[in-house]
Amino acid sequence: MKIFFESIDRGIWDVIANGPFIPKVEKDDVFIEKPWSQWTESESKRAQYNCIAKNIITTINSNEYFRMLTMCFSKGNVGHPWGYP
């Protein structure tokens, strides 16, 4: 699975392994989500990987397989079913 996502773009596997990219800004020593209108071109590109990853997963996998992936991601076991630590 990792090889498949990386063959498209390594940024997509980064989203799968580390969670979605959400641009943030520091305000009063607290990081908050950056308004979409203030995103840089680089932040927009990285955030686009979130959508691409979701689209691929939902398109190529059955509902049952998607539920299994979701359970693995929510438990922090990303990649383990396919032999990737």
Side-chain angles (χ1 to χ4, degrees):
M1 171 94 34
K2 178 181 178 183
I3 294 170
F4 172 75
F5 283 105
E6 284 185 336
S7 72
I8 297 168
D9 194 303
R10 286 185 182 208
I12 297 170
W13 178 251
D14 184 57
V15 168
I16 301 295
N18 300 312
F21 172 73
I22 301 169
K24 297 188 183 217
V25 65
E26 188 175 359
K27 186 175 184 179
D28 300 326
D29 296 329
V30 176
F31 285 95
I32 59 171
E33 284 187 32
K34 195 179 210 185
W36 185 82
S37 60
Q38 295 177 8
W39 289 10
T40 64
E41 188 175 326
S42 170
E43 290 170 331
S44 292
K45 182 176 179 169
R46 283 190 66 196
Q48 184 66 26
Y49 292 137
N50 304 341
C51 298
I52 295 169
K54 284 190 243 179
N55 184 39
I56 292 170
I57 290 170
T58 57
T59 302
I60 66 172
N61 295 301
S62 68
N63 287 336
E64 187 62 33
Y65 192 66
F66 182 71
R67 280 193 287 274
M68 184 197 73
L69 287 172
T70 304
M71 287 184 348
C72 289
F73 295 153
S74 66
K75 292 179 181 178
N77 296 328
V78 177
H80 288 276
W82 308 282
Y84 298 103

